């Protein structure tokens, strides 16, 4: 039997009063689908009062409504000795089948009053339950002063509440002086109340039920010092005795005894109701829970958070942190932190508030505004021509270029106007000089070509004239002196433009200058003569 099965509803089978309802006992019959009927309509107030018969500790009230649920706002109060203390209020329960109200602090009282106000009040409640903790005595170690037959001490904490014969689920001592029964809860707990099931002997003799009269309850934390908390003063001990603890009492050991001689202690079941302190859960209440949304206390059995987790946590018990690159409710992805860093899983902030290129904002989830770029968008774009730069790199589009006076890939290098003009003038001068030089070279080349052509033409004319004079002179000389020339044609040399050769006797040769501006000179061997007659014979 799990710890969650040990919770008890102290409102079960209690007394209910309400002029507003028929079959009002259905409100505390333990069944959530057996609803009472309204007996009054068109009223301005409706209430239901539950009488526990004695003071009880109330920390929570659970209400269950029919599916149609057309209820109005209502209050739940605890009444002690005529004093009404508000536990909690519900503004509206329309459309809700279950409603759980937690008191702001533990309240003690004999009655719970549920009241609704307003014109034409409608309040249809199928079930009211008041959990009073769970039975932490179930299955714990138990001892008694003596043993009668097989009625062991542990039978009083076996979870069986049958009161009739054959009593095999009850503990039993011998008839002796001051018999006692001891329970070890194994760890200290804040005890809310105890419930004791007496022996039912209607079959044999009802007098046997009274063996438990004047029993006492002691509480201890160390099994050495016991403080008496309760003593029965009844003249007719009931079959079920409820003992409410009206203060925060912590104990590990519970001891029950009957003072006096010749006493027999029989207990059919002992239940000790407690619950974990807020923010602890589990059967031993030794596991701490945290991280619930709005600082809610977790479920004291399962550890689950009633309304989910605080930011940065997930899982039913809110004990798992968000996975990397997620934060808040663990479904929101981190922004663009520098170097792909992991953001804070609670706030979503990047380490040192450093963003990647092109991103800004507290969580680096905002794209740079136009005209800015780089990490955290701290840089301003350069002077791109008619467009903005890349928001990550700051580079201007290649097909656009820079505004006048700027250069570089980001158009952020300033070029002064004077320097630009000087560079432009230098470039223009260089270009003009190159054109002029090419023009001059062309003219000079043309002149040279023309001069060459004219000079060749003049040389040709002069050569023709010189050859005519030579022929005439040679003819005249031949007539006055009989000269014969025996020259080897293959040894004769031909000169152009400057000299002409002629064959000469004795294998000599003579040359005649053909220069236009000089006298004619005949050259024979190494000697020169103005006329052929001047040469020696």
């Amino acid at each position: 039997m799990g710890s969650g099965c040990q919770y008890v509803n102290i409102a079960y089978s209690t007394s209910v009063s309400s002029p507003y309802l028929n079959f009002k006992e259905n409100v505390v019959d333990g069944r959530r689908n057996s609803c009472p009927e309204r007996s009054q309509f068109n009223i301005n107030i409706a209430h239901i009062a539950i009488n526990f018969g004695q003071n009880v500790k109330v920390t929570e009230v659970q209400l269950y409504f029919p599916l149609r649920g057309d209820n109005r706002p209502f209050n739940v109060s605890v009444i002690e000795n005529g004093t009404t203390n508000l536990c909690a209020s519900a503004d509206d329960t329309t459309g809700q089948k279950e409603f759980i109200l937690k008191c702001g602090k533990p309240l003690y009282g004999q009655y719970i009053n549920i009241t609704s106000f307003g014109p034409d009040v409608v309040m249809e409640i199928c079930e009211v339950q008041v959990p009073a903790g769970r039975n932490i005595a179930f299955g714990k170690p138990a001892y008694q002063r003596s043993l009668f037959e097989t009625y062991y001490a542990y039978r009083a904490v076996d979870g069986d509440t049958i009161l009739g014969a054959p009593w095999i689920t009850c503990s039993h001592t011998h008839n002796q002086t001051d018999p006692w029964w001891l329970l070890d809860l194994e760890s200290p707990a804040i005890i809310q109340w105890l419930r004791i099931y007496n022996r039912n002997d209607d079959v044999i003799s009802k007098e046997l039920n009274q063996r438990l009269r004047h029993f006492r309850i002691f509480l201890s934390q160390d099994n050495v010092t016991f403080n008496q908390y309760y003593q029965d003063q009844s003249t007719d001990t009931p079959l079920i005795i409820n003992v409410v603890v009206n203060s925060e009492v912590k104990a590990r050991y519970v001891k029950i005894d009957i003072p006096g001689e010749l006493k027999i202690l029989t207990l059919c079941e002992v239940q000790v109701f407690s619950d974990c302190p807020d923010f602890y859960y589990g059967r031993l209440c030794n596991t701490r829970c945290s991280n619930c949304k709005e600082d809610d206390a977790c479920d004291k059995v399962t550890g689950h958070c009633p309304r989910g987790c605080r930011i940065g946590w997930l899982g039913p018990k809110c004990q798992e942190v968000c996975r990397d690159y997620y934060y808040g409710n663990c479904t929101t992805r981190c922004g663009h932190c520098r170097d792909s860093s992991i953001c804070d899983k609670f706030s979503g902030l990047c380490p040192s508030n450093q963003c990647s290129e092109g991103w800004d904002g507290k969580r680096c989830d905002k794209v740079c505004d136009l005209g800015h770029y780089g990490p955290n968008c701290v840089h301003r774009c350069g002077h791109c021509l008619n467009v903005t730069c890349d928001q990550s790199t700051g580079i201007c589009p290649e097909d656009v270029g820079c505004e006048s006076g700027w250069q570089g890939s980001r158009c952020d290098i300033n070029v002064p106007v004077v320097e630009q003009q000087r560079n432009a003038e230098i470039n223009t001068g260089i270009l003009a000089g190159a054109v002029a030089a090419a023009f001059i070279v062309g003219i000079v080349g043309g002149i040279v070509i023309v001069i060459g052509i004219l000079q060749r033409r003049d040389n040709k004319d002069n050569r023709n004239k010189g050859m005519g004079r030579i022929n005439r002179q040679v003819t005249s000389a031949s007539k006055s002196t009989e000269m014969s020339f025996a020259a080897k044609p293959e040894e004769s040399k031909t000169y152009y433009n400057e000299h002409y050769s002629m064959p000469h006797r004795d294998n000599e040769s003579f040359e005649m200058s053909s220069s236009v501006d000089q006298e004619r000179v005949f050259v024979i061997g190494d000697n020169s003569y103005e006329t052929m007659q001047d040469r020696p014979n």
Side-chain angles (χ1 to χ4, degrees):
M1 188 178 293
S3 60
C5 299
Q6 298 303 307
Y7 276 87
V8 64
N9 170 28
I10 59 175
Y12 175 70
S13 294
T14 53
S15 174
V16 179
S17 62
S18 175
Y20 181 73
L21 299 175
N22 292 325
F23 309 108
K24 49 186 173 289
E25 63 275 8
N26 290 355
V27 172
V28 291
D29 65 357
R31 297 180 296 170
R32 301 178 184 180
N33 57 355
S34 62
C35 306
E37 297 178 354
R38 284 187 291 175
S39 61
Q40 297 182 29
F41 295 87
N42 300 320
I43 58 177
N44 295 327
I45 185 171
H47 73 273
I48 300 173
I50 297 175
N51 183 3
F52 295 102
Q54 60 183 13
N55 280 352
V56 297
K57 180 180 179 180
V58 179
T59 59
E60 178 181 306
V61 178
Q62 301 174 358
L63 306 176
Y64 299 88
F65 302 97
L67 289 176
R68 59 182 178 273
D70 52 354
N71 293 281
R72 302 292 178 82
F74 60 87
N75 298 330
V76 175
S77 302
V78 178
I79 302 174
E80 180 183 16
N81 298 326
T83 302
T84 301
N85 298 302
L86 179 65
C87 169
S89 298
D91 294 333
D92 190 6
T93 61
T94 301
Q96 297 191 54
K97 186 177 180 181
E98 300 180 8
F99 209 94
I100 298 176
L101 296 175
K102 292 182 178 293
C103 302
K105 63 179 181 178
L107 298 175
Y108 298 89
Q110 182 175 345
Y111 301 92
I112 285 182
N113 200 25
I114 304 170
T115 307
S116 183
F117 303 90
D120 193 17
V121 170
V122 177
M123 185 170 64
E124 295 181 297
I125 299 178
C126 295
E127 184 73 16
V128 177
Q129 296 184 1
V130 180
R134 50 183 164 161
N135 178 19
I136 60 174
F138 172 73
K140 296 296 177 63
Y143 313 89
Q144 58 188 10
R145 185 168 186 177
S146 61
L147 173 63
F148 177 73
E149 295 185 357
T150 59
Y151 299 103
Y152 296 99
Y154 74 83
R155 295 188 184 279
V157 289
D158 61 2
D160 195 336
T161 57
I162 296 175
L163 305 179
W167 314 294
I168 58 174
T169 64
C170 303
S171 65
H172 199 305
T173 67
H174 286 293
N175 190 350
Q176 61 187 134
T177 301
D178 300 333
W180 54 262
W181 178 90
L182 179 68
L183 172 67
D184 181 5
L185 297 173
E186 299 184 321
S187 62
I190 297 175
I191 297 176
Q192 297 178 356
W193 62 294
L194 298 92
R195 175 177 285 176
I196 298 171
Y197 290 81
N198 192 8
R199 176 177 177 177
N200 180 7
D201 276 325
D202 287 343
V203 177
I204 301 176
S205 171
K206 191 172 182 179
E207 289 297 323
L208 295 179
N209 297 346
Q210 303 307 311
R211 286 180 176 177
L212 197 58
R213 276 188 304 174
H214 304 151
F215 75 92
R216 300 180 299 181
I217 298 176
F218 296 84
L219 302 175
S220 172
Q221 293 201 53
D222 56 9
N223 201 23
V224 175
T225 302
F226 284 86
N227 298 310
Q228 181 176 326
Y229 187 79
Y230 176 82
Q231 183 169 15
D232 177 44
Q233 302 292 338
S234 65
T235 57
D236 185 10
T237 305
L239 294 178
I240 300 176
I241 304 106
N242 291 312
V243 178
V244 177
V245 179
N246 291 327
S247 60
E248 298 292 328
V249 177
K250 181 179 287 188
R252 172 175 174 174
Y253 299 93
V254 178
K255 184 178 181 179
I256 299 174
D257 75 354
I258 302 176
E261 298 178 351
L262 300 175
K263 301 294 182 180
I264 299 174
L265 177 57
T266 300
L267 299 170
C268 289
E269 191 70 22
V270 176
Q271 296 176 338
V272 179
F273 293 96
S274 177
D275 215 343
C276 303
D278 286 347
F279 306 108
Y280 286 86
Y281 72 97
R283 187 171 181 83
L284 300 179
C285 297
N286 58 357
T287 304
R288 182 172 176 80
C289 60
S290 57
N291 307 318
C292 294
K293 187 176 182 180
E294 304 295 337
D295 292 325
D296 289 339
C298 66
D299 184 277
K300 296 177 181 181
V301 175
T302 64
H304 293 182
C305 292
R307 295 188 293 173
C309 304
R310 294 169 53 192
I311 60 173
W313 299 91
L314 53 78
K317 298 179 181 179
C318 301
Q319 294 179 342
E320 306 170 31
V321 296
C322 296
R323 62 188 188 276
D324 289 349
Y325 300 105
Y326 287 85
Y327 75 96
N329 59 5
C330 298
T331 61
T332 305
R333 188 169 179 82
C334 291
H336 299 264
C337 301
R338 177 81 64 86
D339 299 326
S340 299
S341 300
I342 299 172
C343 72
D344 185 274
K345 297 182 180 182
F346 304 98
S347 66
L349 299 179
C350 292
S352 302
N353 295 323
Q354 293 295 309
C355 303
S356 295
E357 291 80 359
W359 296 91
D360 194 11
K362 293 191 300 183
R363 296 183 176 88
C364 299
D365 54 0
K366 179 184 177 184
V367 178
C368 289
D369 293 333
L370 294 178
H372 292 80
Y373 75 95
N376 294 85
C377 307
V378 296
H379 302 297
R380 292 185 65 86
C381 288
H383 296 265
C384 306
L385 184 61
N386 299 327
V387 294
T388 188
C389 69
D390 183 276
Q391 290 162 306
S392 295
T393 64
I395 295 176
C396 297
E398 293 182 0
D399 58 344
V400 171
C402 306
E403 294 177 354
S404 177
W406 298 91
Q407 63 183 18
S409 61
R410 294 186 176 91
C411 298
D412 54 357
I413 301 175
N414 181 249
V415 182
V417 175
V418 174
E419 183 178 344
Q420 281 189 316
Q421 292 176 347
R422 185 171 62 252
N423 291 340
E425 291 174 356
I426 291 173
N427 293 336
T428 303
I430 292 173
L431 179 60
V435 173
F439 180 74
I440 292 171
V441 169
I443 292 176
V444 172
I447 293 173
V448 170
I449 293 172
V450 170
I451 293 173
I453 293 173
L454 294 177
Q455 191 174 25
R456 178 172 292 181
R457 185 179 298 170
D458 290 343
N459 289 342
K460 184 177 180 180
D461 293 341
N462 291 337
R463 186 172 62 251
N464 293 336
K465 292 178 181 180
M467 287 303 296
R469 287 195 300 269
I470 291 173
N471 291 335
R472 287 193 300 270
Q473 291 177 2
V474 169
T475 303
S476 173
S478 297
K479 291 180 179 180
S480 59
T481 54
E482 294 179 355
M483 297 175 58
S484 64
F485 298 91
K488 297 180 181 179
E490 63 275 7
E491 294 180 356
S492 64
K493 298 180 180 178
T494 304
Y495 294 87
Y496 299 97
N497 295 331
E498 293 184 357
H499 296 85
Y500 296 91
S501 62
M502 295 180 64
H504 186 56
R505 60 184 170 87
D506 298 329
N507 295 327
E508 293 179 347
S509 65
F510 75 93
E511 298 178 357
M512 181 185 67
S513 174
S514 63
S515 174
V516 176
D517 298 326
Q518 296 180 359
E519 293 293 334
R520 287 190 301 272
V521 177
F522 293 90
V523 180
I524 300 175
D526 292 328
N527 301 311
S528 58
Y529 308 96
E530 293 182 359
T531 65
M532 290 294 293
Q533 288 80 6
D534 294 334
R535 75 178 181 85
N537 295 322

